Amino acid sequence: MNGWYSPGRCSKPFGNCDFGNSSIEPYIVGHNMVLSHANAVRIYRDNYQEKQGGYIGISVGARWYKPLRNTTIDLLAVERAISFNVPWFLDPIILGDYPPEMRRILGSNLPQFTLKERNKLLVTKLDFIGLNHYSTLYVKDCIFSPCEVDPIDGDARVISLAERDGVVIGKETGAPFFYDVPHAMEEVVMYYKQRYNNIATYITENGYAQASNSSMNANDFTSDTGRIDYMSGYLKFLSSAIRKGADVRGYFVWSLLDNFEWTSGYTSRFGLYHVDFKTQKRTAKLSAEWYRMFLKGSLLTREVQYGSQPQ
């Protein structure tokens, strides 16, 4: 929609590209992705699942939203922003059609499923959903309160903001738009638990970025206490969602290693292990040891891991 990613097609006011139509093309692409998913599931189920005993699902980027103000219009703006995020893809697959909010706003720009396609989606469905959750933003209504079109949330008619009354929504990280808002993990999981009848769920990505430049070395990254705080907080609230009945089957950190991060290239480091990109030497960060002990069942506190006496 905004032209930030390949193939670099977009149109104003969402982005400034030489070619493209942001009001139509993203929804054609999304429609074809949903239909491709249904075909992939059918092929796997018919030819491989019984023999392999595997499971098939789909992972989606699950940004979370909070109302900028406790008003009806901002609460409705949150619902629109959510609809143009995960439900854009999961509602057709699980419920058989796009969210009503998308239909109301987009009209004929949103493709229709044929009856045959809708039946195929509902029959194939999936075995689990994967949520890639990192961050949360405030949302402000742009229907009744005119504002600039947001290139992130596009046609939802909202603008997303990181601050309210001069206070940032959470601690900043080394990646743009990514803030440390751990309680949102529970809210995300519980929301989709209710929306999709508690389907089996994996947190397929969750992680913390450190900003990087070419003059920095491993010593600048290995004492990553910010990442430990981030992971500890998000896992705490994921645990709370599980205790409340959410069928969460697994959690995956992004990432084991520093790597090439989309349009950020090598300037954002998400890894538990530092990678020297020139020599490929890998050095464990403090978070790698923290996570190893966590997975072994240790009851860790920030003070224990950072060298203070346990309380």
Side-chain angles (χ1 to χ4, degrees):
M1 178 166 287
N2 51 42
W4 294 350
Y5 300 103
S6 177
R9 296 177 63 91
C10 68
S11 61
K12 294 180 179 179
F14 301 101
N16 188 19
C17 304
D18 292 332
F19 306 97
N21 186 329
S22 295
S23 295
I24 296 176
E25 291 179 359
Y27 305 107
I28 296 173
V29 172
H31 195 74
N32 289 332
M33 289 171 64
V34 169
L35 295 176
S36 297
H37 165 83
N39 280 324
V41 171
R42 178 184 55 80
I43 291 168
Y44 185 71
R45 292 242 170 93
D46 290 349
N47 299 297
Y48 304 103
Q49 189 166 36
E50 184 177 357
K51 178 174 64 177
Q52 295 179 349
Y55 299 91
I56 187 166
I58 191 169
S59 292
V60 283
R63 191 183 299 114
W64 193 239
Y65 301 92
K66 310 281 280 186
L68 183 66
R69 305 291 177 192
N70 188 26
T71 62
T72 299
I73 59 173
D74 280 359
L75 290 168
L76 291 173
V78 167
E79 282 301 313
R80 292 197 305 275
I82 290 172
S83 294
F84 276 76
N85 192 238
V86 172
W88 176 359
F89 298 95
L90 292 191
D91 269 26
I93 294 169
I94 298 174
L95 305 179
D97 201 0
Y98 292 113
E101 292 87 352
M102 292 187 73
R103 284 270 176 231
R104 282 196 292 269
I105 292 173
L106 297 173
S108 61
N109 285 345
L110 188 62
Q112 297 278 354
F113 294 103
T114 66
L115 181 59
K116 182 178 180 181
E117 289 170 342
R118 185 175 287 110
N119 287 337
K120 181 186 290 185
L121 286 168
L122 291 173
V123 168
T124 53
K125 287 193 177 178
L126 33 64
D127 298 318
F128 67 88
I129 60 173
L131 301 177
N132 298 346
H133 174 63
Y134 291 88
S135 188
T136 301
L137 292 169
Y138 292 120
V139 163
K140 178 180 181 292
D141 170 77
C142 288
I143 295 177
F144 298 99
S145 306
C147 48
E148 293 183 15
V149 172
D150 195 324
I152 295 178
D153 298 298
D155 282 317
R157 306 289 192 265
V158 303
I159 187 166
S160 52
L161 304 163
E163 294 185 9
R164 180 169 62 188
D165 299 329
V167 179
V168 180
I169 193 169
K171 292 181 181 177
E172 296 185 49
T173 71
F177 312 116
F178 282 20
Y179 298 88
D180 186 351
V181 190
H183 65 268
M185 174 66 89
E186 180 177 348
E187 295 177 14
V188 168
V189 171
M190 296 304 289
Y191 180 89
Y192 292 114
K193 170 185 180 293
Q194 181 177 4
R195 190 173 187 117
Y196 301 126
N197 196 29
N198 205 18
I199 189 170
T201 300
Y202 291 85
I203 304 302
T204 38
E205 287 185 28
N206 174 246
Y208 177 93
Q210 296 166 288
S212 172
N213 62 58
S214 58
S215 67
M216 302 170 77
N217 58 42
N219 292 334
D220 297 311
F221 297 100
T222 49
S223 296
D224 57 341
T225 54
R227 178 172 288 108
I228 294 173
D229 287 343
Y230 178 99
M231 291 172 60
S232 176
Y234 277 74
L235 285 165
K236 170 187 173 183
F237 282 97
L238 179 61
S239 175
S240 178
I242 293 170
R243 289 195 301 273
K244 293 177 180 178
D247 187 7
V248 177
R249 306 287 181 90
Y251 168 90
F252 294 84
V253 177
W254 189 265
S255 168
L256 174 67
L257 303 169
D258 291 335
N259 57 63
F260 189 90
E261 294 287 347
W262 292 77
T263 53
S264 298
Y266 295 116
T267 63
S268 289
R269 292 179 177 269
F270 279 85
L272 302 182
Y273 281 76
H274 175 270
V275 178
D276 185 316
F277 295 122
K278 293 181 179 178
T279 67
Q280 296 299 301
K281 180 181 179 182
R282 300 168 184 185
T283 305
K285 301 177 185 178
L286 199 61
S287 58
E289 176 63 11
W290 182 92
Y291 196 46
R292 183 185 70 84
M293 294 178 67
F294 171 82
L295 293 175
K296 291 178 69 174
S298 299
L299 295 175
L300 299 178
T301 66
R302 190 179 194 278
E303 291 75 16
V304 170
Q305 184 56 37
Y306 297 170
S308 301
Q309 293 297 316
Q311 298 178 357

